[in-house]
Amino acid sequence: MEPRILPSPVAAPPIPERLRRAFSGAHPGPPVPPGPRGNPWWNAGAEPAEVAPGVQALADALLRAGEPHRTASGEPTSIPRRPIPSAGGAYPVQLHLVGPDGGRLVYDPDAARWWRRSPARERAAGWPSGVRPRGSRLVLAVQPGRSFGRYRHRAWPLWIADTAYALQAARFVLAGSRRVRLGPDADLRALLAFPAAYDDDAWLRLGLAPLLPLAMMEIADDPAVLEAHRDLLRERRSPEHSEYLARAEGNPPSPGVERVALASGQSWVRGASAVRVWSVPADPPADLLLRELWRAHLEAAELLTSVLRSGAYGVRPVSGFSPEPGTWILHASALLARSKESDR
C-alpha cells in the first residue's frame, strides 16, 4: 500500500537555488574535511535509553554497522557497511525518535543504542522547545558534513536520495501503511526541537554538528518488524563496479544504457543489464525540481526493495547528472542480472 504523504510546504530559499546549483556542470573542487560521522549527543546531556523492542529492531534493520567496505584491491576500509545504500559511503542519515511520552531520542548505529536528549540542557543553550505530537514519529535527518566534504555543491540531491532510500527501507521492514511527511521545512525542525542547520553557533554551543531533518514517518509505539524483509535488507549488497565492467566486456550496451553511462560520466554503467531512468523537462521550476527529486528517489528505492524480493538482479544507484537540453535525468538505477547461484 502506498504511504499517505502529508502536505509539505516548498522549502524556503535558499534551498531551491542550491538544489539547482547542485546539478550544474561546475566541478565540486577538492575534498574538504568532512567532520564527524556521528554526533556526540552526550556532550549535550543525553543519556542512554531503552526503547520498545520493535523500535530497536527497526533501527538495527536500517542502520546497524556491518562489515567494512573494501577497496578495489580488497583491503578493508574504516567505513562500515549499512543495510541502505549511500553515495560514496557517506551515510549521512541519522535516526531520531519522538516517543509516545514526547521524549526525543537519537540512535547511535555504531553502538546499536539509543540516547535520550536533555531538554533542559538544550533549552539552556537557547534551543527551541519544539512541539509534542500524539503518537510516535520516526524522523530521518542528515548530518551534512561527510557528503558535503566529498561532493560540495552537489550534495543536496544526494541527501534527498539517501533519505529516500532509508525511508523506503523503513516501509519495507514494517507491516502496514504509514503516514509520511517530506521536507525540508520548519515543521520537521519543530518536531525535533532543532535550531536551523545554518545556525552553526546554536549547534556548536552544545558540541554538536548541525543536522537537517528531511522526512518523518508515523510508527506504532512498538512496531512489528517483518523478519524476512529485515534479513533481505541486511544481506543487500550493491554490485561492485568491477562486476559491471566484467559484463561490459563482450556485451555492447543498449542505447539506453549507453546514454546513462555518457550522461553520468561513469563507464561502469555500460555493463548494466538494464537501466531505469527518472527525468524532468530541462530547467524545471524550483518547486517541481524538489517534488521530482523526492519522487524519483522514492521510486528508485522501491525498485531496490522489489529486486531484493526476487533476487534476480543486483541494483546500484547512479547519480551525478548535469542538466541536458530537452530531458534532464535526475537519477537512474543500473540493474545487473544475477545467476541463481549468486548472492543478492
Side-chain angles (χ1 to χ4, degrees):
M1 184 178 295
E2 290 299 309
R4 292 171 288 165
I5 299 179
L6 298 175
S8 182
V10 175
I15 291 169
E17 178 56 34
R18 290 179 178 174
L19 272 174
R20 188 178 301 282
R21 182 168 175 262
F23 289 99
S24 73
H27 192 275
V32 296
R37 189 175 300 281
N39 253 330
W41 282 94
W42 48 89
N43 286 353
E47 297 181 348
E50 296 295 324
V51 295
V55 172
Q56 183 68 43
L58 172 61
D60 290 347
L62 298 182
L63 287 188
R64 189 164 187 174
E67 64 183 22
H69 281 275
R70 294 184 177 272
T71 65
S73 62
E75 294 297 315
T77 70
S78 62
I79 303 173
R81 292 184 183 272
R82 312 286 184 188
I84 55 176
S86 174
Y91 299 112
V93 176
Q94 312 281 316
L95 294 186
H96 295 258
L97 176 73
V98 183
D101 62 353
R104 294 180 174 90
L105 299 93
V106 57
Y107 179 68
D108 176 356
D110 293 323
R113 72 188 307 176
W114 287 87
W115 293 83
R116 181 177 291 271
R117 291 164 51 190
S118 170
R121 284 282 298 276
E122 293 172 9
R123 284 197 297 270
W127 280 30
S129 57
V131 298
R132 295 183 61 172
R134 294 181 181 178
S136 296
R137 304 287 192 276
L138 182 73
V139 186
L140 307 180
V142 295
Q143 189 159 315
R146 302 192 76 83
S147 300
F148 181 80
R150 181 164 185 169
Y151 299 104
R152 308 287 282 277
H153 68 274
R154 296 182 179 178
W156 250 111
L158 302 179
W159 295 328
I160 291 176
D162 282 9
T163 303
Y165 277 98
L167 184 62
Q168 171 59 21
R171 292 169 51 200
F172 182 64
V173 299
L174 291 181
S177 177
R178 310 286 165 180
R179 291 207 306 169
V180 167
R181 185 183 187 96
L182 304 177
D185 65 31
D187 288 346
L188 291 181
R189 289 204 310 273
L191 193 59
L192 289 185
F194 276 175
Y198 56 76
D199 189 356
D200 296 343
D201 289 342
W203 291 89
L204 293 175
R205 280 197 296 271
L206 289 175
L208 301 173
L211 290 168
L212 182 66
L214 287 181
M216 176 278 293
M217 183 170 69
E218 295 180 358
I219 62 172
D221 295 341
D222 187 7
V225 170
L226 302 173
E227 293 188 11
H229 286 194
R230 179 204 60 194
D231 293 345
L232 286 173
L233 196 62
R234 182 179 296 160
E235 296 164 6
R236 182 207 66 81
R237 293 290 182 271
S238 297
E240 300 291 343
H241 291 154
S242 58
E243 296 179 67
Y244 288 94
L245 291 170
R247 184 184 179 278
E249 297 179 5
N251 288 286
S254 68
V257 170
E258 180 72 10
R259 180 197 173 204
V260 172
L262 291 173
S264 66
Q266 300 178 62
S267 60
W268 62 267
V269 177
R270 300 181 80 251
S273 307
V275 292
R276 173 80 186 276
V277 174
W278 289 267
S279 302
V280 291
D283 196 27
D287 57 344
L288 174 63
L289 176 58
L290 185 59
R291 288 198 305 271
E292 289 301 295
L293 274 171
W294 276 115
R295 182 186 68 83
H297 291 107
L298 285 169
E299 290 184 5
E302 189 170 5
L303 172 64
L304 174 63
T305 53
S306 295
V307 300
L308 282 179
R309 292 190 187 97
S310 72
Y313 291 92
V315 60
R316 192 175 187 94
V318 189
S319 295
F321 298 93
S322 296
E324 300 174 324
T327 301
W328 171 17
I329 298 174
L330 289 179
H331 189 65
S333 294
L335 296 160
L336 187 67
R338 297 290 203 189
S339 67
K340 292 183 179 179
E341 292 78 20
S342 296
D343 292 332
R344 290 189 177 92

